[in-house]
């Protein structure tokens, strides 16, 4: 058998060189060369086809399709993010900060799935005794969970062939190493090779593999970007270290919708799903304080009510401060300019601080109108009208633009006891919603004047 050779590939342009050097000779990028395995395609299992038959050209209309069956994990919030449950042969990548609850959630899920399916937990970070202690602390039934403490990929693949589990957890992908690459575990080449071979194994055998991924200081998944392209689903754990609430979000899902959000609360016996997260986000909300506005945001198929807080204060330095927690920083600067030009409210000599209560991160532009009204309320030190919810996108010309699923947002607000809503004119409901007065606006100044009482 020919000896395995390694080359150094550029992560920017894909060029290869036999030895490492600081600058790529192909694209002149610095510090982008990483070690990779270089073997003939015939001898490297990574390049073998997932299919057992030779590939042939087919007409797309002749390809038979069928509904993908799903197996519920037993945790409702996790199933919501996955699109209804796990899929046979899928590869799912779960990333998050250290200690946020990734291993806890997967052990809870395996304990439930193990009652009806054969499961395997592969640990590369903890000993079997540590995992047994966690299972005891979580009060789950570990009798149906098979455990393997191993970091060598070849041994793991052999175990998967022998045991043939239907669901396997790899905790974590950064701890594995393959003998085909000489670099240390966790390097770019090791993560890429291990993930590629595990993905091939999942597609050939039909085993659902859940990979736990580490994150960098910037919050992105450690390793090559191709790791997220190889897998079928990418989930991110979010949450504040000082809060008991955790959120899991789907960034990529080949078998379901993206941007779905699952909410959990960390208890002494593990993670528990939260069926009504809006009530949690509004648990400390008071409508008699200035600078507070309730936004109806949409996370996948679920409308959420989130409190937006703003603090506008006199600037005591040379440069006014602009800080947004849970909201986009650049969008805040844009909204302040629109508020000055079309709302007649100047904040150029004010410090502006924004916060989305509950640790939730909001990226959709439907939060624009709520952010502006919260800032106006704080600047004037005057609370907004009672039991008011707001949503709408604000354009640079001062127009209030419609957002998606306005009817569902209004129904959720009415269900939680809100009696007023300021929405874009195009989102006016066709049928009146019981107990909810809908105020429609098409310009920013109209919304500001209504809250001012003009």
């Amino acid at each position: 058998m020919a000896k395995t050779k390694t080359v150094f590939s550029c992560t920017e342009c894909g060029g290869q060189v036999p030895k490492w050097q600081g600058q790529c000779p192909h694209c002149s990028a610095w510090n982008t060369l990483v070690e990779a395995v270089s073997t003939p395609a015939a001898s490297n299992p990574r390049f073998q086809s997932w299919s057992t038959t030779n590939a042939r050209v087919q007409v797309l209309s002749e390809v038979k399709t069928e509904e993908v069956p799903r197996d519920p994990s037993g945790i409702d919030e996790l199933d919501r993010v996955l699109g209804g449950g796990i899929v046979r042969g899928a590869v799912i990548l779960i990333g998050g900060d250290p200690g946020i609850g990734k291993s806890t959630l997967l052990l809870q899920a395996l304990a439930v799935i193990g009652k009806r399916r054969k499961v395997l937990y592969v640990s590369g970070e903890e000993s079997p005794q540590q995992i047994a202690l966690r299972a005891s602390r979580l009060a789950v039934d570990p009798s149906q969970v098979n455990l393997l403490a191993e970091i060598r990929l070849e041994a793991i693949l052999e175990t998967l062939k022998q045991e043939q589990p239907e669901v396997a957890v790899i905790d974590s992908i950064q701890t594995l190493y393959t003998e085909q690459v000489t670099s240390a575990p966790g390097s770019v080449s090791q993560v890429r090779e291990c993930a590629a071979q595990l993905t091939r194994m999942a597609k050939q055998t039909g085993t659902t593999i859940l990979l736990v991924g580490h994150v960098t200081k910037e919050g992105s998944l450690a390793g090559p970007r191709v790791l997220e392209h190889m897998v079928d689903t990418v989930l991110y754990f979010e949450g504040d270290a000082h809060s008991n609430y955790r959120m899991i979000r789907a960034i990529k899902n080949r078998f379901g919708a993206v941007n779905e959000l699952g909410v959990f609360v960390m208890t002494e016996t593990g993670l528990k799903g939260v069926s009504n997260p809006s009530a949690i986000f509004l648990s400390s909300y008071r409508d008699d304080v200035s600078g507070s506005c309730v936004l109806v945001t949409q996370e996948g198929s679920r409308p959420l009510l989130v409190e937006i807080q703003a603090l506008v204060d006199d600037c005591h330095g040379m440069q006014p401060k602009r800080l947004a927690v849970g909201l986009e920083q650049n969008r805040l600067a844009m909204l302040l300019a629109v508020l000055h030009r079309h709302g007649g409210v100047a904040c150029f000599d004010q410090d502006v601080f924004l916060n989305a209560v509950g640790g939730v991160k909001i990226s959709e532009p439907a939060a624009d109108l709520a952010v502006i009204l919260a800032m106006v309320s704080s600047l004037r030190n005057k609370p907004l009208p009672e039991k008011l919810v707001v949503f709408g996108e604000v354009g640079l010309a001062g127009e209030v633009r419609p957002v998606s699923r306005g009817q569902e947002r209004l129904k959720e607000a009415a269900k939680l006891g809100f009696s007023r809503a300021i929405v874009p004119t195009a989102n006016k409901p066709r049928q009146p919603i019981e107990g909810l007065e809908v105020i429609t606006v098409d310009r920013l100044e109209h919304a500001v004047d209504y809250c001012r009482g003009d």
Side-chain angles (χ1 to χ4, degrees):
M1 180 178 178
K3 183 180 178 180
T4 301
K5 297 182 180 180
T6 58
V7 296
F8 292 86
S9 302
C10 177
T11 57
E12 295 292 332
C13 66
Q16 295 183 344
V17 293
K19 295 182 179 181
W20 185 88
Q21 47 190 314
Q23 186 180 30
C24 174
H26 303 281
C27 65
S28 301
W30 288 92
N31 299 322
T32 57
L33 294 176
V34 295
E35 188 180 19
V37 65
S38 176
T39 56
S43 60
N44 193 341
R46 182 186 177 189
F47 297 102
Q48 297 178 8
S49 174
W50 292 340
S51 176
T52 56
T53 60
N54 293 330
R56 61 183 181 85
V57 178
Q58 294 178 279
V59 180
L60 183 59
S61 60
E62 297 177 356
V63 178
K64 295 182 179 180
T65 60
E66 58 183 9
E67 187 70 21
V68 179
R70 299 180 184 273
D71 187 12
S73 65
I75 302 178
D76 293 339
E77 291 298 302
L78 180 59
D79 290 336
R80 169 189 289 273
V81 177
L82 291 174
I86 59 178
V87 178
R88 185 176 181 268
V91 182
I92 303 169
L93 177 63
I94 301 179
D97 294 332
I100 201 169
K102 303 182 295 296
S103 301
T104 298
L105 177 64
L106 293 179
L107 185 57
Q108 289 181 246
L110 278 192
V112 177
I113 300 174
K115 297 178 181 179
R116 60 184 187 277
R117 299 283 190 271
K118 190 174 183 179
V119 298
L120 175 65
Y121 191 101
V122 180
S123 175
E125 300 179 349
E126 299 175 291
S127 66
Q129 292 76 16
Q130 288 176 305
I131 299 174
L133 286 174
R134 176 185 287 124
S136 176
R137 186 172 65 252
L138 299 177
V140 299
D141 182 13
S143 60
Q144 302 300 323
V145 179
N146 298 320
L147 180 63
L148 172 66
E150 181 62 68
I151 63 174
R152 189 166 61 93
L153 178 65
E154 286 73 16
I156 295 173
L157 294 177
E158 186 62 29
T159 303
L160 291 175
K161 292 179 182 178
Q162 293 178 359
E163 297 293 330
Q164 296 182 354
E166 296 185 55
V167 180
V169 170
I170 309 295
D171 187 6
S172 65
I173 186 63
Q174 278 81 12
T175 61
L176 303 189
Y177 78 95
T178 174
E179 297 173 349
Q180 296 181 2
V181 180
T182 59
S183 58
S187 63
V188 172
S189 54
Q190 285 283 8
V191 172
R192 181 173 59 242
E193 291 298 323
C194 293
Q197 295 196 39
L198 287 170
T199 301
R200 172 177 167 269
M201 170 67 72
K203 302 305 179 183
Q204 285 185 337
T205 63
T207 300
T208 301
I209 296 181
L210 295 97
L211 305 175
V212 176
H214 295 169
V215 295
T216 62
K217 291 184 293 185
E218 291 76 19
S220 59
L221 281 165
R225 190 69 175 180
V226 72
L227 175 63
E228 299 183 42
H229 291 280
M230 280 192 283
V231 300
D232 298 306
T233 304
V234 179
L235 306 179
Y236 270 88
F237 247 117
E238 303 172 357
D240 188 357
H242 304 288
S243 173
N244 291 330
Y245 300 109
R246 303 288 188 268
M247 284 158 282
I248 185 170
R249 188 188 305 271
I251 304 299
K252 170 188 176 183
N253 193 355
R254 290 173 178 163
F255 304 108
V258 295
N259 292 327
E260 284 286 355
L261 185 71
V263 183
F264 298 87
V265 58
M266 179 66 78
T267 66
E268 295 181 354
T269 57
L271 290 165
K272 305 295 183 183
V274 177
S275 58
N276 187 11
S278 297
I280 294 177
F281 295 144
L282 298 177
S283 57
S284 301
Y285 168 70
R286 293 179 54 186
D287 56 9
D288 59 346
V289 296
S290 60
S292 178
C293 182
V294 177
L295 161 71
V296 190
T297 184
Q298 189 79 20
E299 293 289 349
S301 60
R302 166 187 277 174
L304 293 177
L305 273 72
V306 180
E307 180 186 359
I308 303 296
Q309 290 184 334
L311 176 59
V312 181
D313 193 19
D314 293 336
C315 177
H316 300 285
M318 297 296 296
Q319 187 72 21
K321 296 181 180 179
R322 306 283 187 259
L323 180 63
V325 179
L327 297 157
E328 293 185 14
Q329 188 83 17
N330 293 333
R331 202 162 187 88
L332 170 59
M334 184 191 74
L335 293 177
L336 286 172
V338 175
L339 179 61
H340 181 207
R341 180 67 177 270
H342 301 284
V345 179
C347 297
F348 57 84
D349 57 348
Q350 304 285 320
D351 292 335
V352 180
F353 305 93
L354 283 180
N355 179 38
V357 178
V360 65
K361 295 181 180 179
I362 301 173
S363 58
E364 67 165 350
D368 291 351
L369 191 57
V371 168
I372 287 179
L373 294 184
M375 291 190 297
V376 172
S377 172
S378 176
L379 180 63
R380 295 173 175 168
N381 197 23
K382 180 181 178 182
L384 294 175
E386 297 180 353
K387 297 183 178 180
L388 174 70
V389 294
V390 179
F391 63 83
E393 178 183 358
V394 177
L396 292 179
E399 76 278 13
V400 180
R401 297 184 176 184
V403 300
S404 61
R405 299 191 175 185
Q407 187 83 6
E408 298 178 14
R409 299 175 193 243
L410 293 174
K411 289 181 178 179
E412 180 71 12
K415 186 173 66 174
L416 292 177
F418 287 86
S419 58
R420 300 177 184 176
I422 299 179
V423 303
T425 302
N427 284 125
K428 182 179 180 180
R430 297 180 180 178
Q431 300 293 334
I433 299 177
E434 184 178 356
L436 185 65
E437 177 189 0
V438 178
I439 299 99
T440 60
V441 294
D442 53 7
R443 297 288 303 174
L444 171 62
E445 52 266 31
H446 298 161
V448 174
D449 291 342
Y450 174 82
C451 295
R452 189 171 53 187
D454 292 355

